Amino acid sequence: MSESNGNTAPAASPEKDPADWVTGEEPATGPQKSYLETLARQSDEDVDPDQLTKAEASQKIDDLKN
């Protein structure tokens, strides 16, 4: 019988490419739009989150964060 000492980390979930998301073609979510607006202001870039899908918004967030 083995004992668990509680020091095991949970398995990391693999990141899925936004282009492969089942819901990727749905409109961007409210939190995505809000975050995009904040990042766009900080980077002086024009972004219209209302014209982006969930997948596109996720990719744009990654671009603006880098």
Side-chain angles (χ1 to χ4, degrees):
M1 189 161 146
S2 67
E3 287 186 32
S4 173
N5 61 8
N7 290 336
T8 57
S13 62
E15 281 194 33
K16 194 173 191 179
D17 184 349
D20 295 333
W21 292 353
V22 173
T23 60
E25 292 302 315
E26 293 179 4
T29 65
Q32 281 180 313
K33 291 178 184 181
S34 177
Y35 193 33
L36 273 170
E37 290 167 353
T38 299
L39 291 172
R41 270 194 309 275
Q42 292 173 349
S43 66
D44 291 325
E45 188 168 328
D46 260 349
V47 176
D48 184 0
D50 291 324
Q51 300 302 314
L52 300 176
T53 65
K54 283 182 184 179
E56 292 167 338
S58 179
Q59 290 171 334
K60 189 65 175 178
I61 287 169
D62 287 344
D63 290 345
L64 291 173
K65 284 173 39 178
N66 293 327

